[in-house]
Amino acid sequence: GQGVGAAITIPDINQVQKLMKGRLLPLGWLYYLRRRRIIDGCRVGFAAVLTAHARRPTDLAVRMGGDEFALVLGNTDLAGAGRIAHAVRDDVAVLQIGYRGRKLTISAGYASVVPGAAQTEEGLLQEADKALYAAKSAGGNRARAYARS
């Protein structure tokens, strides 16, 4: 039979810069350092959640840049990737990572490939990224699968 392939989930922090809006007075470099520390703290909290979901030797949590991360899931089908994407989103909500009442939320896109399929790593990443865009376009704070036609 056909084995289970790999999946990728791309969770992205929703508007982390807006967590800070209107919260600190612009005082030059002091403002910048305080703002960076708070934003970095949000990223660190989120990365800890993501890393906790990379439980198996075939899983890998990575930061792709900025506020975008990825969770590569070996031996995982689309349904499994969806369960993990929703669990990451839920865990971020439960932890209430944020600043002064503004809570961090994430959107996630996920896609999968089965062995033998004509799919590249880049193609899988692009599919998950398209699903992420669909989740953000639908209002954010949700996870969406890539819909193959």
Side-chain angles (χ1 to χ4, degrees), residues 31-99:
Y31 162 77
Y32 175 79
L33 291 177
R34 175 77 172 135
R35 184 172 186 265
R36 292 285 354 132
R37 194 172 86 200
I38 292 166
I39 291 172
D40 287 346
C42 290
R43 288 180 180 136
V44 167
F46 172 66
V49 170
L50 194 61
T51 301
H53 285 277
R55 295 183 177 119
R56 305 167 303 169
T58 57
D59 298 341
L60 178 65
V62 296
R63 182 174 178 194
M64 295 170 47
D67 299 320
E68 199 167 271
F69 295 75
L71 188 54
V72 180
L73 306 163
N75 300 315
T76 304
D77 62 9
L78 189 64
R83 283 190 295 276
I84 292 172
H86 287 282
V88 169
R89 185 186 60 85
D90 293 346
D91 287 355
V92 167
V94 167
L95 289 177
Q96 297 187 354
I97 301 165
Y99 180 70

Side-chain angles (χ1 to χ4, degrees), residues 7-18:
I8 188 164
T9 297
I10 302 178
D12 186 63
I13 300 171
N14 293 319
Q15 303 173 338
V16 70
Q17 306 292 335
K18 287 189 178 179

Side-chain angles (χ1 to χ4, degrees), residues 78 109-112 124 126-131 144-149:
L78 189 64
Y110 55 96
S112 70
L124 184 61
Q126 288 173 356
E127 288 177 353
D129 198 51
K130 287 177 184 175
R144 288 279 165 91
Y146 177 74
R148 288 194 174 89
S149 21

